[in-house]
Amino acid sequence: MKIVVIPGDGIGPETMAVAVEVVQAAARRFKLALDLHHDVAGHDSLRLHGATVTPALLEKVKAADGLMLGPMATYEFKDEAKGEINPSKFFRKSLDLYANIRPARTYEGIPTLTGAFDLVVVRENTEGFYADRNMESGGSEILVTPDVSISLRRITRLCCERIARSAFELARQRRKHLTLVHKANVLKVTDGMFLDECRKVAADFPDVTVDDFIVDAMMAHAVRAPERFDVIVTTNMFGDILSDLTAELSGSLGLGGSLNMGAQHAMGQAAHGSAPDIAGQNLANPLSQVLSAAMLLAWYAQKSGRGEYLEAAQAIEQAVEACVAARESTRDVGGQLGTREAGQALVRRLLA
Ligand code: NAD
């Protein structure tokens, strides 16, 4: 499996260094033929190449089996004409990574506000209320006058159908319960189309139980009783917000693994951002990036039929569970370790 590794901005180099060590340890234990290619995007690339991402990098990623991407300082990239492209968007769009899979579960050893739960948010990734995803060129936010602005939200039948299908397939592999989250009471045309397509796809999955919630009420249900959910499917921005909430409910945003996948390609990227407030201080929780890398290995196992990659992914998840339960973790999840030391503990558990 050939993987391009890009550390990213802020805490990215620290958390990605741990993810690489863990994946390499798993490769030794399960005899994986892993081929890691290191490259840069974001601020490093802007300094080196005059742009946060380059066409050559995209070609390299297209030729590989997967991408491990660190967090990007997206908010600082404002002017595409100056090479400041949002790398996360660039890869999601260029590789058509339409499904963002964001699991959230509680762990023994991490105190939470709720009871135990284990759910997955499946978020559409290529359209919706994202100014940089909807148009052939230019953004979908418009300044009408200096005091009037408009933001457009694109929803298409194709994208609804394919995200619904991904979510149903995942639900079928889990507890066979899918929740549709929408705002079709007021966004009757766009979210109405989303609901309509999800219900059409449901006909192909009679073994999966389906229910639906309006997004605002969903936030209350997620906080009150997250254990009642299995797989949740929703449009882009609702999924972005809901999955940060569920990650935090599970104990920390630093626990939120995330996979962006399409028909051909996949990218493991932590759910959190570049966390400039703690960058360079050996404080960041590396688990989100590690779990995202494990999801990439599991995706490749399914695509290639090579079971040893799934075993490696499961062993990484078990090592994470064991470390967290033993408080061999960073401070945000109740431990006392730095990023590097938490990574060393994970490798020890993985190879024990
Ligand atoms: P953030 O996710 O970077 O940080 C939010 C809070 O969570 C901060 O207090 C931070 O210290 C903490 N946190 C985040 N990750 C952590 C980890 N691994 N361990 C411990 N604590 C962690 O969000 P932000 O501060 O709003 O955004 C910072 C930058 O990241 C912005 O430029 C934003 O646009 C960008 N961003 C990028 C991505 C991405 O690349 N996928 C996602 C979200 C935000």
Side-chain angles (χ1 to χ4, degrees):
M1 181 184 187
K2 186 172 167 186
I3 303 179
V4 177
V5 178
I6 297 174
D9 298 312
I11 58 173
E14 299 163 80
T15 55
M16 189 59 84
V18 170
V20 165
E21 274 175 40
V22 169
V23 161
Q24 281 172 332
R28 285 200 296 283
R29 178 171 155 193
F30 293 94
K31 303 191 172 30
L32 311 181
L34 261 196
D35 186 9
L36 302 185
H37 292 252
H38 297 266
D39 215 309
V40 291
H43 277 300
D44 286 344
S45 176
L46 196 60
R47 271 190 299 274
L48 272 172
H49 307 299
T52 51
V53 277
T54 61
L57 178 60
L58 178 61
E59 288 316 307
K60 191 169 171 179
V61 171
K62 277 185 175 166
D65 296 300
L67 170 63
M68 283 164 60
L69 184 66
M72 293 293 157
T74 319
Y75 195 64
E76 290 161 27
F77 304 140
K78 297 196 170 24
D79 189 351
E80 292 208 349
K82 292 182 181 157
E84 297 171 0
I85 297 150
N86 169 5
S88 310
K89 172 229 50 178
F90 175 78
F91 288 117
R92 284 172 183 170
K93 206 166 165 175
S94 313
L95 303 173
D96 200 19
L97 306 176
Y98 60 83
N100 186 196
I101 313 293
R102 293 188 164 189
R105 50 156 293 197
T106 46
Y107 287 87
E108 198 193 315
I110 302 182
T112 54
L113 297 169
T114 67
F117 68 88
D118 178 353
L119 57 81
V120 184
V121 177
V122 176
R123 163 196 175 198
E124 205 291 323
N125 225 3
T126 51
E127 57 179 17
F129 249 136
Y130 277 75
D132 56 8
R133 313 253 154 120
N134 293 327
M135 309 296 233
E136 180 65 31
S137 66
S140 56
E141 283 198 308
I142 301 154
L143 195 60
V144 181
T145 75
D147 302 316
V148 178
S149 49
I150 294 176
S151 188
L152 299 173
R153 173 175 183 261
R154 187 182 72 165
I155 298 289
T156 61
R157 287 200 186 277
L158 168 77
C159 292
C160 294
E161 196 270 342
R162 63 186 187 174
I163 196 66
R165 201 161 284 284
S166 299
F168 273 103
E169 276 162 9
L170 184 62
R172 184 171 263 176
Q173 292 162 30
R174 289 175 45 98
R175 302 193 304 273
K176 299 187 172 50
H177 173 200
L178 181 65
T179 302
L180 321 175
V181 172
H182 60 89
K183 187 79 185 174
N185 54 330
V186 287
L187 298 167
K188 292 187 169 72
V189 176
T190 49
D191 269 15
M193 183 178 287
F194 170 73
L195 267 189
D196 199 30
E197 287 306 306
C198 288
R199 286 181 177 144
K200 277 190 215 158
V201 175
D204 294 339
F205 296 85
D207 50 327
V208 175
T209 306
V210 182
D211 54 12
D212 72 278
F213 288 98
I214 293 172
V215 65
D216 36 349
M218 179 66 195
M219 296 293 161
H221 288 295
V223 171
R224 187 179 299 227
E227 71 282 356
R228 67 189 281 188
F229 300 104
D230 177 14
V231 179
I232 299 164
V233 64
T234 189
T235 50
N236 198 345
M237 189 173 283
F238 295 161
D240 195 7
I241 298 166
L242 182 59
S243 60
D244 267 25
L245 177 81
T246 51
E248 191 60 33
L249 285 176
S250 79
S252 167
L253 198 50
L255 284 171
S258 166
L259 186 76
N260 299 267
M261 64 177 207
Q264 300 299 326
H265 302 279
M267 167 174 104
Q269 186 189 33
H272 57 75
S274 59
D277 51 337
I278 56 168
Q281 299 169 48
N282 199 34
L283 286 175
N285 184 346
L287 295 183
S288 178
Q289 192 62 58
V290 167
L291 290 167
S292 306
M295 290 176 78
L296 185 63
L297 298 184
W299 171 84
Y300 181 71
Q302 199 159 27
K303 184 167 178 252
S304 66
R306 295 192 176 130
E308 65 272 28
Y309 285 84
L310 184 59
E311 285 176 53
Q314 288 167 342
I316 292 173
E317 283 167 24
Q318 283 158 10
V320 167
E321 272 173 39
C323 278
V324 164
R327 302 274 162 110
E328 293 168 6
S329 54
T330 47
R331 286 170 195 203
D332 57 311
V333 287
Q336 293 294 326
L337 301 182
T339 312
R340 276 189 301 278
E341 294 72 25
Q344 287 158 2
L346 259 178
V347 169
R348 268 198 305 277
R349 294 259 173 197
L350 190 56
L351 298 178

